[in-house]
Amino acid sequence: ALGLTAFVASPVRSGSATVGVVMLHRSEAPADAWTAPETDFAGALADAVALAVERGERAEAEQALRRSEARYRVLADLTSDYAFAIRIDPAAEPDALLSASGIEWATDSFSRISGYTSSEMTDLGGFLPVIHPDSRAAVEQAVAEVYRGRPARFEARIVTRDGEARWIEHSARLGEADPDGTVLVYHSGQDVTERKRFEADLVAAREQAERSREEAE
């Protein structure tokens, strides 16, 4: 129907699997028109395509490995009660680091402490909605540092799903840019609520001691 009278096909192989075919065809030629050099040429083309496929797969695997290694290097470096990452567009406004980005991944302990799963956090509109109002100024200042590419460390209260305010010591840093231009921001958090309560109790006890001393005088 296409007017072809001769074709030669050479498989493109990846390991033991055939992933494609290189096909050469002719019209107005007898069926035995292919010479040995021509069929060898078809085979060489198929080998070249197979090599390109293999290189592409290897490059993709290496990129995924680099991302995975970077993720776990950060997690190992930032020992924490929980960790998560959000994907941001560096061309967006700095507020996007918290309010306009989805959670890319989160550890199980993230849900245990905050009460939210990563998907629920994304549905809320990012991390900003769980920040206690009294801590937003400190968080915004830290976000500005991260946005400039500088790691940030800060303490902030979050409001858990149950309405409890918990103090979290956060660390945040930018990862490397992906081919699409977006960047992962890695976060870790150490729950320091009990330490904060202990410090508050010490302050209260000191103030009470001072009042008692003044009354005695």
Side-chain angles (χ1 to χ4, degrees):
L2 297 177
L4 306 179
T5 60
F7 70 88
V8 59
S10 184
V12 177
R13 297 189 180 276
S14 178
S16 60
T18 299
V19 296
V21 176
V22 170
M23 183 174 290
L24 308 180
H25 57 81
R26 283 179 173 169
S27 58
E28 300 178 357
D32 59 352
W34 300 101
T35 64
E38 289 171 331
T39 56
D40 288 343
F41 176 70
L45 282 179
D47 289 342
V49 173
L51 182 60
V53 170
E54 181 182 350
R55 285 176 176 170
E57 291 175 344
R58 186 166 60 245
E60 184 177 350
E62 288 173 351
Q63 184 180 41
L65 179 61
R66 283 195 299 271
R67 278 200 291 248
S68 179
E69 288 175 345
R71 174 188 303 174
Y72 288 108
R73 281 199 302 270
V74 170
L75 291 180
D77 182 51
L78 302 174
T79 303
S80 61
D81 287 340
Y82 69 66
F84 65 96
I86 60 176
R87 184 173 296 281
I88 61 103
D89 180 357
E93 294 298 322
D95 288 347
L97 289 173
L98 290 175
S99 60
S101 305
I103 303 291
E104 184 81 0
W105 56 264
T107 57
D108 292 339
S109 55
F110 177 85
S111 297
R112 178 176 56 79
I113 293 176
S114 70
Y116 295 98
T117 65
S118 57
S119 60
E120 288 172 336
M121 192 72 75
T122 298
D123 292 340
L124 286 174
F127 193 65
L128 189 60
V130 303
I131 299 295
H132 192 283
D134 293 344
S135 293
R136 290 196 176 185
V139 172
E140 289 172 357
Q141 182 178 356
V143 164
E145 292 297 309
V146 174
Y147 192 79
R148 297 186 186 101
R150 294 194 288 265
R153 193 174 185 88
F154 58 97
E155 290 183 350
R157 276 184 291 175
I158 67 169
V159 180
T160 69
R161 190 187 191 97
D162 296 332
E164 180 185 9
R166 299 197 68 83
W167 279 98
I168 307 294
E169 186 177 68
H170 284 92
S171 294
R173 64 178 64 184
L174 287 176
E176 295 182 359
D178 283 343
D180 62 0
T182 60
V183 179
L184 281 180
V185 182
Y186 296 98
H187 291 257
S188 69
Q190 194 80 29
D191 191 335
V192 294
T193 303
E194 295 306 317
R195 190 196 77 194
K196 285 288 189 178
R197 288 173 180 168
F198 179 71
E199 290 173 352
D201 290 342
L202 283 180
V203 171
R206 186 181 300 113
E207 291 175 348
Q208 180 61 43
E210 288 291 332
R211 284 195 298 268
S212 297
R213 184 174 60 81
E214 290 173 358
E215 290 172 359
E217 293 175 352

